[in-house]
Amino acid sequence: MNRRSFLWGMAGLISASGLPFDAFAAPTAPSIDPGFRLSDATAQAGINFRHNSGAYGGKLLPETLGAGCAFLDYDRDGWQDILLVNGSDWPGHKRDYPSTLKLYRNNRNGTFSDVTHSAGLDLEMYGMGAAVGDYDNDGFPDILITCVGQNRLFKNTRKGTFIDVTKSSGLASRQAMSTSALWFDYDRDGLLDLFVCNYVKWSAEHDVFCSLDGKHKSYCTPEAYRGETCWLFHNRGNGTFEDVTATSGIFDSSSKSLGVAMLDYDHDGWPDLLVTNDTQPNKLYRNQRNGTFKDVAVDAGIAFSAEGRARAGMGVDVADFDNSGNPGVAITNFDNEMTGLYRLSDGGDYVDVALPSGIGQASKDKLGFGCIFLDADLDGALDLAVVNGHIDDTVRNVSGVGYAQPPQLFLNRGKGTFVDVASALGGGFSQPKVGRGLAYGDFDRDGDLDLLVTTNNGPAYLYRNDQTAGNQSLRIRLIGTKSNRDAIGATVRVFHGASNAASQSRVVKAGSSYLSQSELPVTFGLGKQDKIGRLVIEWPSGRTEDYKNLSAGRAYECVEAKGITGLPGF
């Protein structure tokens, strides 16, 4: 029996404090109104998508991983569009119709149109994740699709179409089972570079036979395969990329990477990377500001669980969830491993506060994938959304744990505590799903953040956020000039309340979650306040800009070194 099948039957793990998990009772949803509802807008919006894992009974490893999604404004009209990544059939098991990724254009009235064909994206590939970024600084976002085999880079023509530039860009030299990816400017030269996670060395021809009963094939866990290094590609600025994996300090063939998030761990203004690994230690690559990185995850306390074990490391997100100004971290893991919630201590080390926060016990029996910090109720404190789902539909026969599992939305109650209010949100959000990808974006431009969810071998869901408590927000879209056009890596801080004593921070970021990407504009919940006293932007170029007295209930666009302007509506 492998490690995970053993985990499926485990109970009563002991926490680092020496107390059983049950000593930390999972809080239940509060009797008070959470302040918002989620409505299933999928059908009304015209989203008609079903993920194809290619499963035909052969139990091939990639079939368990699902695919991601993204919010992006591909036509630059100010409205968030939707990208859904798809798998494909395996050779010898083809159906009569192809399965392709889907691009849905926002019609600006709550509905979307399928423009996959007209955009030139109706191509079949075994897709996994999506990373969106304007790598050529022409003002229009480009798309990287990670795949089993050859990743694909699609350049935006600025005419509503995309062209495949994988070969001409220099990204066609390597193939693997790639998972999450992100765009970031690691050398701060104003050009987006590319980081790609890879899982394990796998091919259909060398698929390993694994079994829970010694007779019938089951999906293997990553222990059955050798690891694979992540990749780092430097943007040369002429449409091509240089593979700097070996020289940058990123190379590590023991990694089995599924998630990646950007952060400024040491507050030096240079982007670092947090990579989550499955059954291997997580990596925290600190940017050494000379084109190289150093893994400091062990010293920082985020490589292992509090018990000193390498966990499953599926999804990851980084955000200032306690309004301390420091990057906090959420990492989803296997069932009986809990979702990790890490807070940066005064000594500069990460401490897992999942159990005392209420997230640990509530996620103990879940297998988490996509996770995102967002201010769902616009009260000024970041909440945490997680989608869950097992990897094998026979798991219930082993431990009674469900294959489809309910998503969770942990409302931030302040003082370091969270409570799962998913069951109080309506719209079918809390119904069990085989969840994988998760992203947020304000698709209807009403000022709050809506959710996009993908499921393995199943449908995608679009949930509209409807505020009921009357809280207000402020949204900022940044455009870099000296910095990269998307301003990825910029930090935005707002100060409000009496004497501007309260503050919040957001980072413009790609990647995070699991195989997915949320929108690039940043959103601040302001509760009942009608304005903020001060807004400070720290651009990736090193420039700082300061603005005063901005009204709530508005969206703004700020162009680096050229000022800030209000946008019509949200």
Side-chain angles (χ1 to χ4, degrees), residues 215-237:
K215 299 178 182 178
H216 303 94
K217 192 175 190 303
S218 64
Y219 289 114
C220 289
T221 66
E223 291 105 330
Y225 298 95
R226 294 169 55 199
E228 177 68 278
T229 185
C230 298
W231 299 329
L232 179 61
F233 296 96
H234 177 252
N235 190 335
R236 292 191 177 105

Side-chain angles (χ1 to χ4, degrees), residues 525-538:
L526 300 177
K528 301 299 190 296
Q529 298 181 82
D530 58 7
K531 69 176 182 178
I532 62 167
R534 185 181 177 206
L535 180 143
V536 178
I537 303 170
E538 297 174 7

Side-chain angles (χ1 to χ4, degrees), residues 313-375:
M314 306 293 190
V316 59
D317 199 13
V318 176
D320 180 12
F321 67 81
D322 57 0
N323 289 336
S324 66
N326 292 318
V329 176
I331 299 176
T332 55
N333 295 296
F334 215 74
D335 64 282
N336 274 314
E337 291 183 338
M338 303 189 305
T339 291
L341 183 70
Y342 294 86
R343 188 178 173 278
L344 203 59
S345 71
D346 293 337
D349 300 328
Y350 276 106
V351 178
D352 191 348
V353 295
L355 280 170
S357 74
I359 288 176
Q361 179 69 13
S363 61
K364 174 189 169 187
D365 61 347
K366 306 293 191 300
L367 198 167
F369 278 91
C371 61
I372 49 175
F373 286 110
L374 75 161
D375 189 354

Side-chain angles (χ1 to χ4, degrees), residues 147-164:
C147 299
V148 176
Q150 179 62 64
N151 297 332
R152 309 286 284 274
L153 177 61
F154 296 98
K155 175 179 166 54
N156 195 323
T157 67
R158 298 182 289 176
K159 300 176 182 178
T161 62
F162 292 82
I163 55 174
D164 189 338

